[in-house]
Amino acid sequence: MTRPILLNAFDMLTPVHQSPGLWRHPESRVENFQKLGYWTSLATTLEEAGFASLFLADIVGVYDVYGGNGDAAARGGVQYPLLDPLVAVPAMAAVTSRLGFGVTASVSYERPYLLARTFATLDHFTDGRVAWNIVTSYQDSAARNIVGLDAQIPHDERYDRADEYMEVMYELFEGSVAEGAVVADRERNVFVDPSKVREIGHEGQYFRVPGEALAVPGPQRMPFLFQAGASKRGQQFAVDHAEAIFFSGSTPQLVRKWVDGVRDGLEAAGRPRDAIKIFTLATIVVAETDEEAEARLDEYRAYVDTESALTLFSGWTGVDFAGLEPDQELEDIVTEASQSALASFTTLADGTKWTVRDLAEFVAIGGRGPVIVGSPATVADELERWIRESDVDGFNISAAVRPADLERFAEFVSPELRRRGLLADTADAVTLRERIGGKGAHLAPDHRGAAHRFEG
């Protein structure tokens, strides 16, 4: 039997996440994405459906590569306008008790001292159900508007800087405040024992943080750590820091290459091959029968916005696809943006030749991952096949029509997975780290962050 499957819902506080044009579908309610009730309702649905977490993507710039400006992104609602996912988490946590929340935050633009306080706050307010998706960001528009640079920091340097950023975060979460520092002793008039608090004294190439953490760490201490880089440098960063990794690939064979690379890297570092949980993207279109599901997908195709799909892909890769001929074959171009996005359709495509038209049609529904279509049994079979062939631990489930497709997954697929014994029973898990990692609430002893721990 296939091992139990871990599920995250993959979403974003914006009109178009992965499926440009589908916001126009009659069952879409995504025009309400700016209402808090939209997200609290989704959170309760996901919890009941057995999802481990709601994984919220984020960017901090406008997709302005296509055509040289942001007009197409605005017109198509392509990840614009975009709300701050960190703000929504406490409200969703208040209406759930088990669902975790994976929140994207960029090490290129957030200051570590303040971000540590934000995540400590969220870990307290969620009772230990928060994860941090660590990104280095890939948009020149973000670099211009946030820090006033003409372009982003070069790709590999972003990861070098991120390595030091993580050392600062480990020091703040693990090395500044010992367990039991908060005593709240009325008789002695001591709220925090100062002997259990220390300054971190960080002096590095990129950061200088001399003082102690501003907030006491929450139940997990360090938030659970996600990372989503498939480039060679990104994978090395993941092996060094992540507890879970998210890949986006069109076939199990492509994803398996990345998975094997991560597991080999863990083994070379002296860690267990399964020390990191690995997820891959999948968009699910489900109905009671295969025929009804295929008819639903055909209906979805009528709403596809090809220009918006190319706008999305241009933003990911830093390559302007405006004006290219539809039948032009894709070529590998190394940019400072997301290097794995274009490579998935060129150097890593196992000889398959992708044209601009092929790319637009593929990306239009589900982004860079597979679209799995069928009855509950067919979908469950396909999820099991991906687990076997790619060796992933679970899926980031994306919706083409939002939130309808996630609601349909909850209605049709979750019961089938439960019937097969494929949804792990994690009722005893309190924190998200326990639910996904399967062990304790704190960083594993073999994780590099644990070496910073202040025992007091």
Side-chain angles (χ1 to χ4, degrees):
M1 184 184 76
T2 304
R3 61 183 181 269
I5 296 172
L6 291 166
L7 297 175
N8 303 308
F10 187 43
D11 214 327
M12 197 172 189
L13 276 69
T14 193
V16 169
H17 180 206
Q18 297 277 315
S19 299
L22 271 294
W23 62 270
R24 300 174 295 164
H25 189 276
E27 292 181 18
S28 171
R29 303 196 306 278
V30 78
E31 67 272 13
N32 295 321
F33 85 97
Q34 295 177 121
K35 296 184 181 299
L36 191 56
Y38 177 98
W39 298 101
T40 54
S41 175
L42 177 61
T44 58
T45 296
L46 297 173
E47 178 163 276
E48 292 167 3
F51 280 73
S53 80
L54 170 57
F55 185 109
L56 293 169
D58 193 30
I59 54 175
V60 285
V62 174
Y63 284 140
D64 60 356
V65 175
Y66 184 87
N69 58 57
D71 290 355
R75 194 162 43 242
V78 180
Q79 299 187 11
Y80 182 86
L82 178 60
L83 302 180
D84 185 344
L86 291 160
V87 175
V89 168
M92 292 188 287
V95 298
T96 56
S97 59
R98 301 182 308 281
L99 184 72
F101 303 95
V103 192
T104 302
S106 173
V107 298
S108 295
Y109 304 119
E110 301 280 358
R111 302 303 297 177
Y113 189 70
L114 291 180
L115 186 62
R117 180 177 68 165
T118 298
F119 272 115
T121 303
L122 290 177
D123 205 46
H124 283 294
F125 285 179
T126 63
D127 294 321
R129 291 185 282 142
V130 70
W132 173 22
N133 176 37
I134 312 159
V135 298
T136 63
S137 295
Y138 52 83
Q139 295 171 288
D140 287 343
S141 62
R144 288 193 299 269
N145 288 306
I146 297 174
V147 293
L149 298 176
D150 291 333
Q152 63 198 304
I153 300 169
H155 180 272
D156 285 5
E157 185 183 345
R158 293 203 303 273
Y159 280 108
D160 294 341
R161 185 177 180 277
D163 280 329
E164 185 183 334
Y165 195 111
M166 294 308 299
E167 294 303 312
V168 175
M169 295 298 268
Y170 296 145
E171 291 162 6
L172 289 169
F173 277 102
E174 301 289 342
S176 183
V177 183
E179 289 285 334
V182 177
V183 294
D185 188 328
R186 285 184 167 90
E187 291 185 4
R188 291 194 298 136
N189 191 26
V190 176
F191 197 87
V192 177
D193 181 350
S195 71
K196 293 182 177 293
V197 179
R198 67 183 182 188
E199 296 179 345
I200 68 171
H202 182 89
E203 295 274 354
Q205 179 180 354
Y206 299 102
F207 301 101
R208 178 177 181 271
V209 184
E212 63 278 333
L214 196 54
V216 173
Q220 298 183 116
R221 297 195 65 83
M222 192 78 195
F224 188 73
L225 299 173
F226 270 100
Q227 205 271 335
S231 69
K232 183 177 180 180
R233 185 63 181 88
Q235 285 193 47
Q236 183 58 56
F237 181 85
V239 167
D240 289 341
H241 301 287
E243 297 174 276
I245 299 175
F246 169 37
F247 291 132
S248 301
S250 57
T251 67
Q253 293 72 33
L254 172 57
V255 172
R256 182 62 182 255
K257 291 179 181 179
W258 293 328
V259 171
D260 287 345
V262 168
R263 301 206 191 283
D264 290 346
L266 286 167
E267 189 172 49
R271 301 181 67 195
R273 291 182 67 85
D274 62 353
I276 292 176
K277 299 297 185 183
I278 302 178
F279 296 84
T280 192
L281 175 67
T283 299
I284 309 298
V285 180
V286 64
E288 291 186 359
T289 67
D290 289 345
E291 293 75 18
E292 289 174 314
E294 290 290 350
R296 176 172 284 270
L297 179 60
D298 286 341
E299 179 185 300
Y300 285 7
R301 291 191 178 108
Y303 293 92
V304 161
D305 181 346
T306 301
E307 182 183 49
S308 290
L310 292 175
T311 299
L312 185 62
F313 201 74
S314 293
W316 288 338
T317 61
V319 177
D320 186 358
F321 283 85
L324 296 183
E325 291 297 324
D327 294 322
Q328 181 173 334
E329 287 188 2
L330 299 183
E331 298 178 2
D332 188 46
I333 302 171
V334 177
T335 73
E336 298 299 343
S338 176
Q339 294 186 355
S340 60
L342 188 56
S344 299
F345 299 92
T346 53
T347 57
L348 297 176
D350 290 330
T352 302
K353 298 297 183 182
W354 287 77
T355 67
V356 173
R357 189 195 314 276
D358 295 334
L359 173 70
E361 291 176 353
F362 184 85
V363 171
I365 298 179
R368 292 159 51 199
V371 179
I372 297 174
V373 186
S375 66
T378 297
V379 170
D381 287 345
E382 187 68 357
L383 293 177
E384 288 195 74
R385 183 179 76 86
W386 268 78
I387 292 283
R388 288 194 306 272
E389 296 183 11
S390 66
D391 194 32
V392 297
D393 298 289
F395 299 90
N396 275 11
I397 303 295
S398 180
V401 176
R402 300 160 59 217
D405 283 332
L406 287 172
E407 293 170 341
R408 295 177 68 81
F409 189 102
E411 179 183 0
F412 292 110
V413 183
S414 288
E416 177 65 16
L417 294 177
R418 285 193 171 109
R419 187 186 68 79
R420 299 184 185 199
L422 293 177
L423 276 186
D425 181 7
T426 56
D428 294 334
V430 177
T431 67
L432 184 58
R433 180 171 284 112
E434 291 169 289
R435 187 165 189 184
I436 294 180
K439 297 178 182 178
H442 297 164
L443 287 173
D446 65 346
H447 190 283
R448 68 187 299 164
H452 293 267
R453 192 159 294 153
F454 172 33
E455 299 297 345

